């Protein structure tokens, strides 16, 4: 039953047991099946209205009659039905009929409705191929996205994207379409309502066909063409050995930017180089054991669809037919995944072959030999330059080598007619020395170099007389053989060049003169040596300072100075005196030697032995030119040592017992006084007792190293020696006694470091005057202690006697019984 517009009147609709139950206004609809009832279960039924009309809105009841005698529970229920107008509109945009494989396809669909009641929309795209239809994607009604099983992976990879727009516009973008994406596309719009129980109910849907799309395979539009870069219209090219082969591969397609290309160049059936779709280049020049026989191949991308092959240093092995093979890939993933890594090879094509021929042509050139440095005397440098000009047909990668030969002048050498091989540089730049010049080339005295690609030089650092003669350079061209080795292809020889000069020997003249005279020991000696040269240009000098005691004695080397100003001491130099020796270069050709603190052992003759050295360039080794000795300068003097004196004194010669007595021993120096550190003394103290004879004994001593030694004495006093300064010593007697009275004196032995000999020298022994020490006797001091001890002892004995008597009296009389006298007045005789 139902009730319209909230009225209480119920209109009968349909019954399961009474066919005539329906209201006359609804009987036709019931009879036609527009309104029907379906039993879902024994206790569940469903009312269906096939086409809902606005009049169908209202309150509906379902009721079951009760036959029970007692009513329990409810026997009817009601529900509200709201009928809204169907305003759902689906307007799709027609997609392109044809699209290249790999392009992006956008499917636009406009889904709208008039909002009269809270409803929700969903939109679904599907693809129909033949009789089968597959759902691509559904959006809504609650904002969720559902994909079909076939398109779920592509949607997850970003290959399918949903782009919601404004005013009901929805766009589905399919990236990188494939041939399987062709077919008829359909757009379906659905309106939904959400019941209170949380259930979504479809109200109405509208499906519209968008159109048929045909995906053109990439292979239909893909085109590959190969040609030489110098002649794009040609299909062949002729090269010389060593040239660079450059071929272009042009790729065109309708949708080239959407394709990932893998480009491979083939020489015959062999892959040379491949550029993968990621841009990584893989070279296969070593494949098939061909490494070293063919040129190095490279491949680079010049632009969109343009790829250039480069083969450097071609040889005959590089001839043949070259083909460009292209494989086009499409990424199944979307743009958002950066490629996704799921690639699909869409097409593969090869270009027409290009024929390459490598022809062999021998190179040619012209030689010019000229002197750069021509020596004017012996030991000067020589430099010859061999220039190569007018070079033609030298293949790329080809190299030049050189061979130098020398023919001596008549009268010099064993056989002037023989041509001697100096050395050569082969195509790899290896030096191959001749047997006669091997040592000079290894030591650097002679060098063969290639200073420029077309210039070779021969250098002789110190040209000798035997080097005079005719010089010839022979230049050869080298190329790469079919086995990858360097081989000589052609050779040309220059005209000879003569090297000669007037021979003059270099000489030295060395003059030594005295700058400072050493007249006494300890003074400074200085001399200079001046060098004069002839037939010698720029040179370095090494200096040896030598000496000998007499003209017949052995020669000693004092110091040496190398041409690089490195100073060294000779074996005859005392290591302790090296700071006193100085050798310097005071001018371009002048040297000075200085000896400070001369000694007797330094007397003798001194001179300079100077050697001249030359070298071609800085950093190269020195070469000896000539040497000479100077005149001799003599050191001769007599030694006068210092003189010493001694004195003794005491501030107080009379002391009391137990006091301290002090006596000072002073020394003085005159003449050539040595330094403080070069002077020391041995001091001894002697004593003659006042009572006990004239025997003199040594009391104490201190040696020159400062070690003090005291003698064994019977006296109770103590003795010490103290050095006050360099020349003064103090004797201390602590706790003097009467036995310390007597005469005291000191003896000293000076030691000094001789400036002449450099050794410690002992001077004569010195004895001072005598000092008498008196220890006075004090009567009161000697008696006060005995008197004090006696008085104390007497007083102690007296007190002890009194105490003892008192104790004895008390002990003896305390227990005695009194005896009374007799009555007869007679006294006991014994008592009397």
């Amino acid at each position: 039953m139902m009730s319209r517009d909230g009225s209480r009147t119920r209109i009968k609709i349909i019954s399961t047991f009474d066919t005539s139950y329906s209201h006359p206004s609804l009987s036709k609809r019931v009879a036609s099946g527009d309104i029907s009832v379906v039993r879902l279960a024994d206790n569940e039924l469903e009312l269906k209205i096939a086409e809902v009309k606005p009049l169908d809105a209202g309150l509906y009841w379902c009721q079951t009659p009760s036959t029970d005698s007692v009513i329990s529970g409810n026997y009817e229920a009601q529900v509200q039905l709201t009928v809204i107008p169907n305003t759902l509109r689906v307007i799709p945009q027609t997609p392109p009929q044809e699209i290249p494989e790999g392009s992006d396809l956008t499917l636009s669909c406009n889904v709208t409705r008039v909002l009269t009641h809270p409803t929700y929309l969903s939109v679904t795209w599907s693809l129909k191929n033949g009789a089968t239809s597959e759902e691509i994607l559904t959006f809504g009604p609650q904002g969720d996205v559902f994909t079909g099983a076939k398109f779920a992976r592509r949607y997850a990879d970003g290959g399918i994207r949903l782009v919601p727009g404004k005013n009901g516009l929805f766009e589905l973008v399919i990236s990188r379409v494939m041939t399987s994406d062709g077919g008829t596309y359909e757009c379906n719009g659905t309106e939904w309502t959400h019941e209170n129980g949380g259930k979504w109910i479809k109200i109405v849907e509208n499906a519209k066909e968008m159109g048929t799309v045909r995906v053109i395979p990439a292979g239909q539009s893909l085109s590959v063409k190969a040609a030489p870069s110098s002649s794009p219209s040609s299909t062949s090219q002729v090269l010389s050995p060593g040239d660079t082969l450059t071929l272009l591969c042009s790729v065109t397609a309708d949708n080239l930017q959407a394709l990932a290309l893998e480009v491979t160049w083939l020489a015959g059936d062999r892959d040379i180089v491949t550029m993968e779709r990621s841009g990584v280049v893989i070279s296969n020049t070593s494949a098939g054991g061909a490494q070293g026989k063919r040129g190095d191949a490279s491949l680079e991308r010049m632009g969109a669809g343009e790829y250039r092959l480069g083969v450097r240093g071609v040889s005959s092995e590089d001839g043949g037919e070259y083909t460009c093979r292209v494989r086009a890939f499409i990424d199944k993933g979307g743009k958002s995944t950066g490629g996704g890594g799921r690639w699909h090879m869409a097409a593969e094509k090869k270009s027409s072959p290009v024929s390459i021929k490598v022809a062999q042509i021998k190179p040619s050139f012209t030689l010019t030999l000229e002197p750069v440095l021509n020596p004017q005397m012996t030991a000067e440098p020589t430099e010859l330059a061999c220039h190569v000009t007018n070079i033609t047909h030298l293949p790329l990668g080809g190299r030049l080598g050189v061979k130098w030969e020398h023919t001596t002048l008549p009268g010099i050498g064993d056989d002037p007619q023989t041509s001697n091989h100096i050395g050569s540089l082969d195509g790899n730049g290896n030096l191959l020395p001749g047997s006669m010049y091997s040592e000079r080339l290894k030591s650097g005295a002679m060098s063969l170099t290639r200073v420029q690609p077309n210039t070779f030089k021969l250098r002789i650092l110190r040209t000798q007389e035997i080097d005079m003669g005719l010089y010839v350079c022979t230049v050869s061209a080298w190329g790469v053989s079919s086995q990858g080795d360097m081989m000589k292809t052609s050779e040309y020889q220059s005209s000879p060049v003569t090297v000669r000069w007037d021979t003059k020997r270099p000489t030295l003249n060395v003059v030594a003169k005295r700058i400072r005279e050493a007249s006494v020991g300890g003074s400074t000696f200085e001399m200079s040596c001046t060098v004069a040269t002839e037939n010698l240009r720029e040179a370095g000098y090494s200096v040896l300072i030598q000496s000998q005691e007499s003209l017949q004695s052995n020669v000693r080397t004092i110091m040496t100075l190398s041409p690089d100003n490195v100073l060294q001491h000779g074996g005859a130099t005392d290591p302790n005196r090296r700071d006193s020796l100085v050798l310097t270069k005071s001018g371009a050709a002048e040297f000075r030697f200085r000896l400070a603190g001369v000694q007797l052992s330094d007397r003798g003759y001194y001179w300079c032995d100077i050697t001249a050295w030359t070298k071609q360039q800085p950093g190269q080794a020195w070469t000896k030119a000539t040497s000479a000795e100077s005149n001799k300068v003599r050191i001769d003097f007599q030694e006068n040592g210092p003189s010493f004196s001694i004195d003794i004194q005491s501030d107080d010669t009379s002391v009391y017992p137990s006091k301290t007595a002090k006596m000072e021993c002073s020394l003085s120096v005159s003449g050539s006084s040595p330094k403080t550190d070069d002077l020391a003394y041995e001091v001894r103290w002697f004593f003659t007792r006042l009572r006990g004879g004239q025997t003199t004994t040594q009391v104490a001593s201190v040696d020159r190293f400062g070690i003090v030694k005291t003698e064994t004495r019977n006296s109770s006093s103590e003795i010490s020696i103290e050095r006050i300064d360099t020349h003064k010593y103090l004797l201390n007697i602590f706790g003097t006694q009467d036995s310390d009275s007597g005469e005291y004196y000191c003896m000293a032995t000076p030691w000094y470091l001789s400036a002449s000999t450099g050794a410690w020298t002992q001077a004569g022994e010195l004895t001072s005057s005598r000092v008498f020490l008196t220890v006075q006797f004090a009567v009161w001091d000697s008696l006060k202690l005995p008197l004090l001890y006696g008085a104390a002892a007497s007083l102690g004995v007296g007190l002890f006697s009194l105490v003892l008597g008192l104790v004895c009296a008390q002990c003896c009389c305390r227990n005695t019984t009194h005896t009374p006298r007799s009555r007869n007045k007679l006294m006991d005789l014994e008592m009397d």
Side-chain angles (χ1 to χ4, degrees), residues 17-225:
F17 61 91
D18 187 2
T19 56
S20 61
Y21 180 76
S22 302
H23 191 274
S25 62
L26 300 175
S27 58
K28 291 183 179 181
R29 297 178 64 185
V30 173
S32 64
D34 184 29
I35 298 176
S36 62
V37 63
V38 179
R39 185 179 293 275
L40 302 178
D42 291 341
N43 62 341
E44 184 177 356
L45 293 93
E46 182 181 70
L47 174 66
K48 282 191 176 182
I49 303 175
E51 293 185 10
V52 180
K53 296 177 172 48
L55 293 176
D56 296 330
L59 194 61
Y60 284 74
W61 285 268
C62 67
Q63 185 185 67
T64 176
S66 175
T67 59
D68 299 333
S69 60
V70 180
I71 297 176
S72 177
N74 65 309
Y75 292 85
E76 69 177 15
Q78 64 181 9
V79 67
Q80 180 73 34
L81 173 63
T82 303
V83 180
I84 62 174
N86 183 7
T87 59
L88 180 63
R89 297 289 182 269
V90 178
I91 305 174
Q93 294 183 10
T94 304
Q97 296 182 358
E98 292 184 351
I99 185 171
E101 185 179 8
S103 301
D104 293 349
L105 174 62
T106 302
L107 302 174
S108 300
C109 187
N110 192 287
V111 180
T112 60
R113 53 80 169 85
V114 178
L115 188 61
T116 59
H117 192 80
T119 58
Y120 301 86
L121 295 178
S122 68
V123 59
T124 301
W125 287 269
S126 57
L127 173 64
K128 183 189 297 184
N129 274 318
T132 61
S133 178
E134 294 175 305
E135 183 179 311
I136 302 175
L137 182 142
T138 298
F139 175 66
Q142 201 177 0
D144 298 333
V145 176
F146 303 94
T147 57
K150 182 178 178 182
F151 299 92
R153 177 65 182 274
R154 292 178 67 181
Y155 176 77
D157 293 339
I160 296 177
R161 293 177 290 115
L162 175 64
V163 184
K166 296 180 179 180
N167 301 324
L169 179 63
F170 298 90
E171 291 184 347
L172 183 68
V173 180
I174 302 177
S175 302
R176 314 286 175 84
V177 297
M178 298 178 291
T179 54
S180 60
D181 294 326
T184 302
Y185 287 88
E186 186 179 80
C187 176
N188 188 330
T190 306
E191 190 172 3
W192 301 76
T193 182
H194 194 225
E195 296 295 337
N196 293 332
K199 182 178 180 182
W200 286 97
I201 298 176
K202 183 190 299 184
I203 302 175
V204 67
E205 65 177 347
N206 190 355
K208 294 292 181 68
E209 186 177 293
M210 303 181 70
T212 301
V213 178
R214 175 177 174 266
V215 180
I216 302 175
Q220 291 185 8
S221 60
L222 183 65
S223 174
V224 181
K225 180 183 178 182

Side-chain angles (χ1 to χ4, degrees), residues 38 85 99 123 141 213 275 294 305 381 405 451 462 483 535 545 553 606 638 686 748:
V38 179
I99 185 171
V123 59
V213 178
M275 178 180 289
R294 299 179 181 271
E405 294 178 322
V451 295
R462 292 181 52 82
Q483 287 76 30
N535 300 326
I545 303 298
S553 61
Y606 291 79
Q638 299 297 325
F686 294 91

Side-chain angles (χ1 to χ4, degrees), residues 520-523 577 597-602 637-642 672 674-675 677-679 751-762:
V520 295
S523 60
R577 298 189 62 200
V598 295
Q599 303 175 1
L600 290 176
S601 60
D602 296 328
F637 64 92
Q638 299 297 325
E639 180 183 15
N640 294 320
S672 57
K675 299 178 181 178
D677 295 338
D678 299 340
L679 181 63
W751 288 82
Y752 64 93
L753 187 64
S754 175
S756 303
T757 62
W760 285 94
T761 304
Q762 180 179 356

